[in-house]
Amino acid sequence: MTTTANDIIFRLEQKRRVQADFPGPKSLALTERRKAVVASGVASSVPVYVADADGGIIQDVDGNSFIDLGAGIAVTSVGASDPAVVGAVKEAVEHFTHTCFMVTPYEGYVAVAEQLNRLTPGDHEKRTVLFNSGAEAVENAVKVARLATGRDAVVAFDHAYHGRTNLTMALTAKAMPYKTNFGPFAPEVYRMPMSYPFREENPAITGAEAAQRAITMIEKQIGGEQVAAIIIEPIQGEGGFIVPAEGFLPALAAWAKEKGIVFIADEVQSGFCRTGEWFAVNHEGVIPDIITMAKGIAGGMPLSAITGRAELLDAVHPGGLGGTYGGNPVACAAALAAIGSMEQYDLNARARHIEELALGTLRELASAQPVIGDVRGRGAMLAVELVQAGSKEPNPELTKAVAAACLKEGVIILTCGTYGNVIRLLPPLVITDELLLDGLEVLAAAIRANA
């Protein structure tokens, strides 16, 4: 029998409770230890250290409880300690933690591939390869596309984020903090204009017209016959939770098919029920040639994947894909359990319910607050873009102030955007209505107080 997220019994009380003087002594002591041993290039946006997490609550080492509206950047969609995931991990580690699938394979890897071939869009024959991180999945998707097509050029888009490795930095659009002083980058990457409805010079431009704008530039600057792959986030993540205008993705995908270009959907952040569908491309019926996945795939365990057309992935010679830890058996067990929980609790429906609850509150707030330029998103992948009142000028200072004000009241929110002016909401999909509404009210109060 299918149950719902409302049936979940959590270990931790689902209420925020913070002391006025946090971070507390234990977090402060850990901060001092960290300074002595952890590279300063690794930044943390919240100055407390986690001791426990469950449902929509994160508890720190000093006993403070925070509402989690970030889910570890869209990772813990089933919760940070989903019982099914915890149980599967415990059972897996009692048998073996690693053998390397490239040496002595195991069933878990095969079972995850079977599930991903089932869940990803399209009824064509598919193949899957497992890796560790989203960036690694993107790297390998591009490798496959280049080998299968015999071409070199890769098209990415303005505001894109695809990772921190050399090739994925080249694909990523934002310089600071991701690219500055880390070059030179991988060659044969070309950037095209994204459909960004809020910031279009011509607000009336349609998705199909925006796609044609990009296609014209590709043909002029590269030549369609030279392009191995187009890679795009169906809803851009770090770039600002940008939802392209309807028709943009289908038009790009259709042109790519016509030109023999591999269409790669980077669903690292938007996948696994986050937008109210298994994958964000489902909203417009787009069927990618290759889809990259990570984050929400395994309930917090490190795992990523590419799934694509069999003829593309099978074109790669034996040994051309893989990695020592790719498809780790414990992570595979976690993924199978997480997918089971997503289906058991119908987290696609839950994400749509979160959208309904949150958008009403946020749009009502926007109507009264001229510093809110745009409210957008799908499912539980929602954003508020903050601007200077009466204009579209980005307001990163206000964005930082709002995030700090929310944290002071016990609510963790994330920021993003090319201009640093977007508040993004990525709650665990199992968060209770009461906790979500409480967090949203804190956010609303923070915007009103700092506007």
Side-chain angles (χ1 to χ4, degrees):
M1 182 179 70
T2 300
T3 54
T4 70
N6 292 327
D7 299 314
I8 298 173
I9 298 174
F10 299 105
R11 291 182 299 101
L12 299 180
E13 183 181 21
Q14 299 295 291
K15 289 186 179 179
R16 63 184 169 100
R17 186 178 293 108
V18 294
Q19 301 171 23
D21 60 347
F22 80 86
K26 293 181 180 179
S27 280
L28 291 173
L30 281 166
T31 297
E32 290 306 307
R33 288 172 57 188
R34 169 184 175 150
K35 289 177 181 177
V37 295
V38 178
S40 59
V42 181
S44 300
S45 58
V46 178
V48 300
Y49 286 76
V50 179
D52 206 349
D54 185 37
I57 287 291
I58 290 177
Q59 192 174 89
D60 77 1
V61 291
D62 293 290
N64 296 296
S65 294
F66 300 84
I67 298 176
D68 178 14
L69 297 185
I73 316 183
V75 170
T76 55
S77 297
V78 297
S81 52
D82 174 58
V85 173
V86 171
V89 167
K90 285 181 177 178
E91 181 178 358
V93 297
E94 287 177 352
H95 293 284
F96 58 96
T97 59
H98 174 76
T99 69
C100 185
F101 191 77
M102 297 185 300
V103 180
T104 49
Y106 37 87
E107 183 182 2
Y109 190 116
V110 177
V112 171
E114 288 171 339
Q115 291 283 29
L116 298 183
N117 290 2
R118 174 178 70 90
L119 293 170
T120 49
D123 57 6
H124 52 277
E125 189 175 0
K126 302 171 188 173
R127 298 289 186 268
T128 289
V129 189
L130 303 182
F131 304 102
N132 304 287
S133 69
E136 194 177 357
V138 169
E139 290 256 358
N140 280 276
V142 171
K143 280 171 55 176
V144 169
R146 283 175 164 164
L147 184 146
T149 62
R151 306 172 184 178
D152 296 326
V154 179
V155 170
F157 288 83
D158 286 339
H159 312 289
Y161 177 84
H162 295 289
R164 298 172 186 259
T165 57
N166 187 265
L167 173 59
T168 58
M169 281 192 294
L171 295 169
T172 292
K174 189 174 181 179
M176 193 68 181
Y178 305 118
K179 302 172 70 169
T180 301
N181 296 328
F182 290 142
F185 304 116
E188 286 301 301
V189 172
Y190 299 85
R191 193 163 316 284
M192 296 298 148
M194 179 65 179
S195 170
Y196 190 163
F198 177 65
R199 295 198 171 275
E200 289 285 2
E201 290 185 12
N202 173 14
I205 190 172
T206 67
E209 289 168 343
Q212 188 57 53
R213 175 180 62 191
I215 289 166
T216 299
M217 289 182 65
I218 295 169
E219 289 282 23
K220 181 173 64 175
Q221 296 183 16
I222 314 165
E225 291 74 16
Q226 304 302 312
V227 178
I230 291 174
I231 184 165
I232 189 167
E233 302 155 272
I235 297 178
Q236 290 185 316
E238 295 292 322
F241 279 31
I242 300 165
V243 182
E246 185 175 354
F248 181 75
L249 294 173
L252 280 178
W255 180 77
K257 183 176 182 179
E258 176 189 329
K259 293 292 183 177
I261 298 167
V262 177
F263 187 81
I264 303 171
D266 183 348
E267 295 257 13
V268 166
Q269 190 162 166
S270 57
F272 293 97
C273 307
R274 177 52 56 182
T275 67
E277 296 282 352
W278 279 103
F279 299 96
V281 287
N282 292 128
H283 291 279
E284 291 193 78
V286 173
I287 299 176
D289 297 306
I290 298 176
I291 187 166
T292 66
M293 299 159 276
K295 291 191 182 289
I297 191 174
M301 296 295 288
L303 187 70
S304 68
I306 64 172
T307 297
R309 296 186 181 277
E311 64 271 22
L312 294 175
L313 272 72
D314 282 348
V316 180
H317 50 272
L321 299 172
T324 301
Y325 295 104
N328 170 270
V330 180
C332 285
L336 294 170
I339 290 168
S341 290
M342 292 174 203
E343 293 189 311
Q344 177 184 355
Y345 298 125
D346 193 359
L347 293 190
N348 280 316
R350 181 64 188 163
R352 294 191 294 269
H353 177 69
I354 289 171
E355 176 185 345
E356 184 179 354
L357 281 180
L359 282 185
T361 297
L362 296 174
R363 285 175 175 159
E364 181 179 351
L365 180 66
S367 67
Q369 295 293 329
V371 294
I372 297 179
D374 194 27
V375 172
R376 57 179 178 261
R378 287 196 173 113
M381 188 174 183
L382 303 172
V384 178
E385 181 160 357
L386 298 179
V387 296
Q388 303 290 343
S391 75
K392 290 188 177 182
E393 184 68 23
N395 198 335
E397 296 80 12
L398 174 59
T399 308
K400 291 177 184 177
V402 168
C406 287
L407 181 62
K408 186 176 180 181
E409 296 299 319
V411 178
I412 296 172
I413 64 169
L414 307 178
T415 61
C416 65
T418 298
Y419 313 106
N421 68 320
V422 178
I423 292 167
R424 54 175 164 173
L425 302 177
L426 290 164
L429 301 181
V430 296
I431 193 171
T432 65
D433 288 3
E434 181 182 14
L435 202 60
L436 175 64
L437 292 171
D438 185 24
L440 290 171
E441 181 50 44
V442 170
L443 172 60
I447 292 174
R448 286 192 291 262
N450 288 276

